[in-house]
Amino acid sequence: MALSSAFEYAPAPESRSVVDIAPSYGLFIDGEFTEAADGKVFKTVSPSTEEVLSEVARAGTADVDRAVQAARKAFTKWSALPGSERAKYLFRIARIIQERSRELAVLETLDNGKPIKETRDTDLPLVAAHFFYYAGWADKLSHAGFGANPRPLGVAGQVIPWNFPLLMLAWKIAPALATGNTVVLKPAETTPLSALFFADICRQAGLPKGVVNILPGYGDAGAALVEHPDVNKVAFTGSTAVGKAIARSVAGTEKKVTLELGGKGANIVFDDAPVDQAVEGIVTGIFFNQGQVCCAGSRLLVQESVQEEVVDALKRRLATLRLGDPLDKNTDIGAINSAEQLARIQKLADTGEAEGAERWSPACELPTSGYWFAPTVFTGVTQAHTVARDEIFGPVLSVLSFRTPDEAVAKANNTQYGLSAGIWTEKGSRILAVANKLRAGVVWANTFNKLDPTSPFGGYKESGYGREGGRHGLEAYLAPSSPEGKR
């Protein structure tokens, strides 16, 4: 169903026929699909319909060990290849992703619930771009600033979330392969399909067996991978609670770790900001991917003198968004990824209302099947409210006001997180002055949620440590050499 709108749109569905989903999938170990050692399986469902899409093998400890052994065996030859040869595989993977982008976009929308226009126009182009970008680095590592002859670490154990399944895979796998490491990756249990399709792309590209291994499974498989003694590098994107557990489990080992965790990003709108442009950025910041974005601008800080104007304009804009079938090209707001996540969003939103914040949503009829939550705005919010402090990870925006730039900075930094922030103003000097005071890994100016493979991404405080993307993203997968090129 659509939110109320001045226009009527005929349905424009993307065809499901472009993707062929098998009734069952195995684990991808040493270049082959195989059953789990204990025979366990689980079902993956479409969040918009609750339809079972496929049955997937569930990895256990024995499977993790088998995959790590395969990656270790493959590492010897893969790391010995010249960078220019590794680059050829990465370029090939990138081109195949482009060729199969429509198929992958439909698959991601079915398995994740996000609108097809997001998977088609944002996720897939960025996935290909990351492989192209790191392919370019593969033969230039000696010039990356990490020593004359930096060496790969070995086996990388990587655990990714469900909000950007294929994009997070690209963020992890592309730099790992470019630097000569081999990979064991565990996708989220609610979105395993695009990673399994990527396994097929690896075979299509002729990637040597064991270089990439994909293990769908639950948290126990992720923990076994992180704790495996023959894993040299751990990369995790997900919740802060799990990130803390990972940090504790690898403490005292020689494993290199990057953690990209939660966020509670501040989107700061000053009184001289172009209101219509800022409203579009606010909408992108919190309602893109149903707000299921770690760097979402979930706290809107508006200068007091323009607060009423900005909030009114925002409400008018939200009334034009369309919520419904994610495969419809007109859809702006898709489904929440799972029943568990929907319950968390509902609980936190109800808490905000119970604590006295004013809750508003546009007129909206939600579909009867699937997991849905209407875009929601809270006003009258203080820094003490739960909705201003906790990461909701849903389409819920909290609006706070400020009077001076110093107050805006103080409120923006008053969080345990430090992943992202946005600044809206016509003054370049104000952008620079405020950005330098914000404790956030990424600060956008007059835009939001713009990501690029050449730019590093990561956070401070409970948003994790380490950087992914750009030249900086190579460092976590390399052992720097001495000036003479010795390790």
Side-chain angles (χ1 to χ4, degrees):
M1 290 290 178
L3 306 184
S4 59
S5 171
F7 300 98
E8 292 298 325
Y9 290 84
E14 178 65 78
S15 173
R16 285 186 58 163
S17 64
V18 299
V19 60
D20 183 19
I21 301 176
S24 64
Y25 289 94
L27 312 173
F28 186 69
I29 299 176
D30 205 20
E32 303 293 338
F33 285 100
T34 179
E35 293 181 1
D38 57 10
K40 288 185 178 180
V41 296
F42 65 97
K43 291 177 171 60
T44 183
V45 304
S46 179
S48 61
T49 63
E50 300 177 64
E51 160 202 2
V52 174
L53 296 173
S54 187
E55 191 175 76
V56 180
R58 176 178 171 177
T61 303
D63 305 301
V64 169
D65 188 57
R66 192 155 45 114
V68 171
Q69 287 182 34
R72 174 61 60 195
K73 181 180 176 182
F75 174 72
T76 303
K77 290 184 178 179
W78 179 251
S79 61
L81 283 178
S84 57
E85 290 299 311
R86 292 197 302 272
K88 291 178 183 178
Y89 289 103
L90 287 165
F91 277 124
R92 203 175 299 155
I93 288 170
R95 287 194 293 269
I96 294 170
I97 288 168
Q98 288 183 319
E99 291 165 4
R100 299 180 64 176
S101 62
R102 189 177 176 206
E103 171 192 8
L104 292 166
V106 172
L107 179 73
E108 198 82 311
T109 289
L110 285 170
D111 207 20
N112 170 277
K114 65 174 70 178
I116 186 66
K117 68 179 182 181
E118 292 183 8
T119 56
R120 179 195 65 196
D121 299 341
T122 301
D123 292 26
L124 264 299
L126 275 173
V127 170
H130 271 83
F131 280 98
F132 277 126
Y133 175 73
Y134 281 109
W137 268 117
D139 63 348
K140 304 173 186 68
L141 299 177
S142 295
H143 309 285
F146 308 119
N149 186 29
R151 308 302 300 164
L153 299 172
V155 176
Q158 304 175 329
V159 181
I160 60 173
W162 45 259
N163 57 336
F164 291 93
L166 200 56
L167 183 57
M168 292 299 98
L169 176 151
W171 278 28
K172 301 286 188 289
I173 291 182
L177 298 193
T179 48
N181 299 275
T182 54
V183 166
V184 180
L185 179 134
K186 191 202 86 68
E189 62 268 24
T190 61
T191 53
L193 293 184
S194 55
L196 293 168
F197 271 58
F198 179 79
D200 188 55
I201 288 173
C202 290
R203 294 204 300 190
Q204 190 179 344
L207 193 70
K209 291 182 177 183
V211 172
V212 168
N213 304 272
I214 309 288
L215 299 181
Y218 285 71
D220 58 332
L225 178 58
V226 167
E227 295 167 4
H228 197 287
D230 207 20
V231 165
N232 306 100
K233 160 78 172 99
V234 173
F236 173 76
T237 296
S239 71
T240 294
V242 175
K244 288 179 176 179
I246 289 173
R248 286 192 292 267
S249 72
V250 301
T253 72
E254 294 184 353
K255 294 175 183 175
K256 210 165 184 177
V257 184
T258 49
L259 300 173
E260 197 265 280
L261 309 175
K264 193 71 179 174
N267 220 348
I268 306 170
V269 179
F270 286 96
D271 56 6
D272 63 337
V275 173
D276 289 341
Q277 183 183 346
V279 164
E280 290 305 308
I282 295 164
V283 170
T284 299
I286 184 57
F287 300 115
F288 175 72
N289 196 19
Q290 297 70 254
Q292 298 169 140
V293 183
C294 52
C295 57
S298 53
R299 289 182 298 149
L300 175 61
L301 305 183
V302 190
Q303 198 149 15
E304 203 172 84
S305 59
V306 294
Q307 182 181 7
E308 185 176 349
E309 179 187 1
V310 170
V311 172
D312 287 349
L314 175 62
K315 289 181 177 180
R316 287 194 301 272
R317 179 68 179 93
L318 292 184
T320 69
L321 295 180
R322 297 180 62 81
L323 178 148
D325 180 8
L327 281 176
D328 189 331
K329 297 166 192 172
N330 295 320
T331 295
D332 300 298
I333 306 289
I336 302 302
N337 180 253
S338 66
E340 180 185 16
Q341 183 60 24
L342 176 59
R344 172 179 168 78
I345 296 168
Q346 289 170 332
K347 181 180 178 181
L348 286 167
D350 290 345
T351 299
E353 199 169 9
E355 290 177 350
E358 185 176 342
R359 181 175 180 172
W360 179 89
S361 292
C364 181
E365 183 178 345
L366 301 180
T368 55
S369 62
Y371 315 124
W372 304 90
F373 195 88
T376 299
V377 176
F378 279 101
T379 52
V381 178
T382 71
Q383 295 178 86
H385 280 100
T386 299
V387 292
R389 299 194 317 269
D390 289 6
E391 183 181 37
I392 299 173
F393 221 64
V396 180
L397 178 68
S398 299
V399 182
L400 300 93
S401 64
F402 66 90
R403 292 183 178 179
T404 66
D406 285 344
E407 184 184 356
V409 169
K411 285 186 172 180
N413 287 340
N414 185 23
T415 173
Q416 69 266 40
Y417 299 108
L419 194 57
S420 67
I423 302 169
W424 299 85
T425 175
E426 286 189 343
K427 297 182 176 66
S429 57
R430 177 179 281 169
I431 290 170
L432 295 173
V434 172
N436 283 329
K437 296 175 183 177
L438 294 174
R439 283 295 282 174
V442 179
V443 180
W444 286 289
N446 293 327
T447 189
F448 209 92
N449 272 344
K450 296 294 183 185
L451 300 170
D452 188 280
T454 67
S455 179
F457 183 90
Y460 296 97
K461 299 187 281 188
E462 291 194 9
S463 289
Y465 47 80
R467 292 295 180 265
E468 294 182 302
R471 182 187 64 83
H472 303 71
L474 297 166
E475 184 177 9
Y477 292 94
L478 290 170
S481 64
S482 67
E484 294 78 25
K486 298 177 181 177
R487 291 188 68 181

